[in-house]
């Protein structure tokens, strides 16, 4: 389990760095959704299934939808 | 080509929305027994309604849940929560007193247990679902 945690956490850090550094805002939002999904799995690993469900529904679902709606109103590239 | 893709999307979404809503209401009603609860379940129900508005049109979704109806449901959820909390004050306990004022608690582990908590999370679920959907509508609405 420690190896799985290490793997998940390293991909999480990679996702966070990629979401900050991407110039394409739509791509950054998608990477952020992947970050939230990984974070939900990590919450489950840490023994917090309640937080994991909320993170999967809010972080990966609603936040992504709201950000994509904002991008459709503004521009895709910064 | 483009029309056919939209047709497939519409049929699949029409098929999948009831399942998402049943799962959301399951998370709400079983919130005192298993992980989940009003907030998470309400978000899942809201995601199904936002999916409808994304696939069809925002104006078509707005017909199903107009701003007036949304504010009505939001206020009803909040009033429901506060009224259940004030029940304890009226009987002589603290705000949100549950078992001490004689509300039957039921058998632990079964669906009907926990006294006021399932009713409270139902109110929270309604309020969160409607709030998230109206957030999306006010963001995408043409002005």
């Amino acid at each position: 389990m420690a190896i799985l945690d290490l793997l998940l956490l390293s991909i999480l850090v990679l996702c966070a760095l990629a979401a900050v550094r991407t110039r394409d805002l739509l791509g950054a939002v998608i990477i952020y959704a992947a970050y939230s999904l990984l974070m939900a799995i990590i919450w489950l690993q840490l023994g917090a299934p309640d937080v994991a469900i909320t993170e999967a529904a809010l972080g990966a679902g609603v936040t992504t939808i709201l950000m994509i709606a904002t991008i459709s109103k503004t521009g895709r590239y910064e | 080509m483009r029309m056919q893709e939209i047709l497939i999307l519409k049929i699949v979404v029409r098929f999948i929305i009831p399942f998402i809503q049943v799962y959301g209401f399951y998370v709400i009603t079983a919130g005192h027994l298993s992980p989940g609860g009003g907030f998470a379940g309400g978000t899942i129900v809201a995601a199904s309604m936002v999916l409808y508005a994304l696939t069809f049109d925002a104006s078509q979704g707005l017909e199903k849940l107009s701003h007036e109806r949304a504010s009505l449901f939001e206020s009803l959820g909040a009033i429901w929560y506060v009224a259940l909390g004030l029940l304890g004050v009226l009987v002589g306990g603290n705000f949100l007193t549950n078992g001490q004022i004689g509300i039957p608690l039921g058998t632990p582990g079964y669906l009907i247990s926990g006294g006021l908590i399932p009713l409270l999370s139902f109110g929270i679920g309604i309020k969160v679902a409607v709030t998230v959907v109206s957030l999306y509508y006010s963001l995408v609405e043409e002005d």
Side-chain angles (χ1 to χ4, degrees):
Chain A
M1 278 301 126
I3 299 171
L4 179 63
D5 282 353
L6 210 61
L7 192 68
L8 284 173
L9 282 171
S10 48
I11 302 174
L12 188 78
V13 172
L14 278 181
C15 277
L17 287 176
V20 173
R21 292 195 62 86
T22 315
R23 309 294 291 178
D24 184 1
L25 292 179
L26 193 60
V29 171
I30 303 294
I31 296 170
Y32 183 66
Y35 170 90
S36 288
L37 213 55
L38 279 170
M39 198 67 218
I41 301 172
I42 291 171
W43 284 126
L44 202 60
Q45 286 286 317
L46 292 173
D50 203 346
V51 188
I53 286 185
T54 310
E55 175 84 39
L58 258 188
V62 174
T63 313
T64 311
I65 290 169
L66 289 181
M67 283 186 181
I68 287 177
T70 313
I71 286 175
S72 75
K73 282 279 173 186
T74 57
R76 183 171 164 181
Y77 298 95
E78 40 174 330
Chain B
M1 186 63 201
R2 180 92 182 118
M3 276 310 290
Q4 279 172 348
E5 281 173 8
I6 292 176
L7 187 67
I8 291 171
L9 187 68
K10 280 181 178 176
I11 288 173
V12 168
V13 163
R14 213 174 267 168
F15 178 75
I16 213 173
I17 278 178
F19 290 96
I20 301 177
Q21 288 185 343
V22 166
Y23 180 64
F25 280 111
Y26 164 75
V27 171
I28 292 176
T29 46
H32 56 299
L33 299 175
S34 58
F39 190 72
T43 318
I44 295 169
V45 174
S48 78
M49 289 193 259
V50 171
L51 186 65
Y52 180 85
L54 271 176
T55 313
F56 296 88
D57 203 23
S59 60
Q60 219 170 333
L62 209 54
E63 267 176 35
K64 305 263 180 201
L65 189 73
S66 62
H67 283 300
E68 292 80 25
R69 214 175 289 173
S71 57
L72 179 73
F73 274 111
E74 259 189 80
S75 316
L76 275 181
I79 290 171
W80 176 247
Y81 192 98
V82 174
L84 283 178
L86 284 178
L87 200 66
V89 178
L90 287 179
V91 180
N94 288 323
F95 190 70
L96 285 177
T97 309
N98 196 0
Q100 285 86 356
I101 58 168
I103 294 167
L105 286 180
T107 324
Y110 285 86
L111 189 62
I112 301 177
S113 66
L116 287 179
I117 296 173
L119 302 173
L120 285 177
S121 54
F122 191 72
I124 299 171
I126 297 281
K127 180 160 172 57
V128 169
V130 174
T131 306
V132 171
V133 174
S134 57
L135 257 180
Y136 173 74
Y137 282 153
S138 37
L139 201 60
V140 297
E141 221 175 15
E142 302 293 332
D143 41 15

